[in-house]
Amino acid sequence: MEYFEQHRAKDRVILVSVTVQMLEDLDAEEFHLLASSAGAEILEHMHAQRLRPDPKYFIGSGKAEEIAEKVEALEADLVIFDHTLTPAQARNLERVVKCRVVDRTELILDIFALRARTYEGKLQVELAQLQHLSSRLIRSRGNLDSQKGGIGLRGPGETLLETDRRLLRVRMGQLKARLDKVRQTRMQGRVARQKAAVPTISLVGYTNAGKSTLFNILADSDVYAADQLFATLDPTLRRLDWEGIGTVVLADTVGFVRNLSHSLVESFKATLEETLEATLLLHVIDSSSPEILEQIDAVESVLKEIGANVPVLRVYNKIDQSGEEAKIIYHKPNQPERVYVSAHTGEGIDLLRKAVHEALMGELQKFELKLQPAHGKLRNQLYDLNVIQSEHYDEQGQLHLQVSIAPQKLAQIIRQAHLSLEDILGEQAVQFQRPLEEFEIPRKID
């Protein structure tokens, strides 16, 4: 079964935004962009206010009649609400407006269906759509008669509605099994990276914050990036060599939006697990957005929902539009809290690399190393990390290296080479007598 295409391109659409005092106030501009991303031809954007949702129509009956008049006058095919509707509310509205009614969750699912390209992405979209559809199955009364059985099979049987629900449960079970296999494959890759002590840096953020553009710069990649919501749906991983750190894995994930239903988060958990298992999260933020605080809260609420207890470095992107300067703000000495960059112009990218290094490894420090001729492998590792500033040989033939590197990383590679800190560092080895916990990555930045 292929994943569903909810509606054809260029449906003639009326948007309805409702401000409800007891619910979260949503962004009308973002809603407009969501509908455009789904390929809608927007005829009109209507607004309404209510103290609380009406149990029958979500909006009042008078407003429902007003929408019906607009649908008839503009010959609209579809009405989209910027809130989640109950199945009863959607059916009641369709009877009044005489056309299909779609809520926010269905709209986002439709965009996901348009964006899904990989096997995993299509599985996740189909599962999310089936879960949403399972609560909205309805048949006309004439179709609710029991199916007739043959000899030996007579009895109440089951209704067509129950049959559809059973088939949906079977299909959802199959999809979950396939996604579990994908999850197991990802887990094997993560275990291998953890054994090899390869850090994973995961980019998260509000949709359209510029994550994929930033990912392309850092990874020298060509992941699809566009000025649209949910341009990236499937997770993308790249292995690269990071100066001063060594091999790291950079992961780009699906963007978040406000009011993302729990079912959508659950369906895309396989994708979001790259976030759960990351060593460091880069929370990419659109610094030019007037809704910046709400967008930050939306991302952090999803991270909290999936249980992502991971160190976070905030990356304020698009400073070319906000007018801010490239800089690093520190939470504590040697613990960067936020970086201001422009993925579009490249401004501040070097500061971002520096901040990531400090967040993972600590502050860069200068050391003088003394290597014997037999320590060529250690020298090569240091050159691979691009941390050697100068070198010279003394009269005894020993190699002296001036390096700029984080203490934790230096201690790690020396011990991996089965060498003594005292032999390589001399008197400088004293500072490494502190507990290793002092060199470990700080937990989540408040």
Side-chain angles (χ1 to χ4, degrees):
M1 183 187 297
E2 285 292 327
Y3 61 92
F4 298 109
E5 295 284 352
Q6 292 283 1
H7 55 265
R8 59 183 172 80
K10 297 302 179 185
D11 274 330
R12 294 168 59 80
V13 169
I14 292 176
L15 304 181
V16 181
S17 291
V18 185
T19 301
V20 182
Q21 293 185 15
M22 62 182 294
L23 297 177
E24 180 183 3
D25 188 20
L26 299 175
D27 184 0
E29 183 179 349
E30 176 189 274
F31 181 37
H32 197 283
L33 187 54
L34 278 170
S36 299
S37 299
E41 178 186 348
I42 300 172
L43 304 177
E44 185 154 340
H45 193 162
M46 302 179 67
H47 298 267
Q49 289 186 342
R50 286 194 64 82
L51 180 62
R52 60 179 59 85
D54 179 72
K56 186 173 183 180
Y57 296 115
F58 192 87
I59 54 175
S61 57
K63 196 68 178 181
E65 292 291 347
E66 183 182 338
I67 295 172
E69 293 173 1
K70 286 288 185 182
V71 168
E72 184 178 2
L74 300 176
E75 298 181 348
D77 306 315
L78 186 67
V79 175
I80 306 178
F81 276 72
D82 195 16
H83 279 281
T84 300
L85 303 175
T86 66
Q89 288 169 341
R91 292 196 298 270
N92 293 334
L93 284 165
E94 286 180 345
R95 293 190 187 104
V96 174
V97 303
K98 300 295 191 297
C99 75
R100 289 187 302 118
V101 174
V102 170
D103 65 7
R104 180 183 178 87
T105 299
E106 291 172 299
L107 175 61
I108 293 175
L109 283 171
D110 187 87
I111 299 172
F112 282 2
L114 291 173
R115 300 282 188 265
R117 294 291 179 268
T118 66
Y119 171 73
E120 178 188 4
K122 292 179 180 181
L123 287 178
Q124 291 180 128
V125 169
E126 185 180 351
L127 176 61
Q129 289 183 324
L130 289 178
Q131 288 176 330
H132 187 73
L133 179 64
S134 63
S135 64
R136 283 159 168 74
L137 283 180
I138 182 170
R139 296 275 186 180
S140 64
R141 185 173 180 180
N143 284 333
L144 290 178
D145 295 332
S146 296
Q147 296 177 1
K148 302 301 182 182
I151 296 175
L153 298 175
R154 301 189 193 278
E158 63 180 347
T159 65
L160 291 176
L161 183 60
E162 290 167 345
T163 302
D164 285 348
R165 284 179 174 160
R166 177 170 53 80
L167 292 174
L168 282 177
R169 285 196 298 270
V170 170
R171 180 58 181 169
M172 287 191 290
Q174 293 171 344
L175 293 172
K176 289 177 181 178
R178 293 179 185 179
L179 283 171
D180 281 341
K181 290 183 179 179
V182 174
R183 187 178 290 111
Q184 290 170 8
T185 301
R186 289 189 181 282
M187 188 177 298
Q188 290 173 356
R190 284 194 293 268
V191 170
R193 293 197 299 268
Q194 290 168 358
K195 285 184 177 179
V198 178
T200 299
I201 303 169
S202 184
L203 276 67
V204 299
Y206 207 78
T207 186
N208 208 32
K211 293 188 289 74
S212 296
T213 303
L214 187 62
F215 179 89
N216 286 337
I217 291 178
L218 295 176
D220 192 20
S221 184
D222 57 354
V223 169
Y224 179 67
D227 186 18
Q228 59 185 5
L229 301 185
F230 302 113
T232 302
L233 181 60
D234 305 304
T236 306
L237 280 71
R238 293 288 186 274
R239 184 180 290 263
L240 62 144
D241 291 325
W242 199 292
E243 183 176 334
I245 299 175
T247 301
V248 301
V249 171
L250 195 64
D252 187 18
T253 59
V254 64
F256 304 146
V257 294
R258 279 179 284 176
N259 200 25
L260 194 63
S261 70
H262 176 75
S263 62
L264 291 179
V265 174
E266 188 66 27
S267 298
F268 286 81
K269 214 158 190 177
T271 300
L272 297 174
E273 277 185 354
E274 290 300 335
T275 299
L276 285 172
E277 301 296 333
T279 313
L280 176 70
L281 295 184
L282 298 186
H283 179 181
V284 184
I285 300 165
D286 181 357
S287 63
S288 66
S289 172
E291 305 288 336
I292 183 171
L293 296 179
E294 291 81 359
Q295 293 178 0
I296 291 173
D297 288 341
V299 173
E300 290 182 347
S301 66
V302 174
L303 292 176
K304 183 178 180 180
E305 183 175 349
I306 64 176
N309 184 24
V310 182
V312 177
L313 175 63
R314 289 183 176 178
V315 182
Y316 286 76
N317 191 24
K318 303 186 182 182
I319 60 173
D320 54 308
Q321 298 179 26
S322 64
E324 295 173 281
E325 63 177 11
K327 58 186 175 182
I328 303 177
I329 304 296
Y330 289 87
H331 174 66
K332 294 178 180 178
N334 308 327
Q335 287 189 15
E337 177 186 6
R338 62 183 72 176
V339 189
Y340 291 79
V341 305
S342 170
H344 178 66
T345 65
E347 186 179 4
I349 298 300
D350 288 340
L351 292 178
L352 173 58
R353 290 191 173 100
K354 178 177 183 291
V356 169
H357 187 286
E358 292 178 344
L360 286 175
M361 297 294 172
E363 184 183 14
L364 293 173
Q365 296 185 26
K366 295 185 183 298
F367 296 95
E368 181 173 346
L369 312 185
K370 184 170 60 175
L371 305 185
Q372 301 295 331
H375 299 161
K377 184 176 180 180
L378 177 59
R379 176 178 177 272
N380 291 339
Q381 282 185 287
L382 293 169
Y383 264 106
D384 288 340
L385 292 174
N386 196 23
V387 297
I388 297 179
Q389 296 183 322
S390 65
E391 65 176 14
H392 70 274
Y393 287 92
D394 61 19
E395 296 178 355
Q396 287 75 36
Q398 292 181 324
L399 178 62
H400 293 256
L401 298 178
Q402 293 284 344
V403 300
S404 178
I405 190 173
Q408 178 194 10
K409 187 64 179 179
L410 180 58
Q412 177 188 341
I413 62 175
I414 289 176
R415 286 166 178 162
Q416 285 178 344
H418 305 292
L419 298 173
S420 165
L421 292 174
E422 289 76 10
D423 290 342
I424 302 299
L425 292 165
E427 295 180 357
Q428 301 169 95
V430 175
Q431 63 181 289
F432 289 90
Q433 302 305 317
R434 290 175 293 170
L436 280 179
E437 286 77 9
E438 293 189 26
F439 296 112
E440 291 193 357
I441 304 168
R443 296 314 299 165
K444 181 176 179 180
I445 297 174
D446 296 327

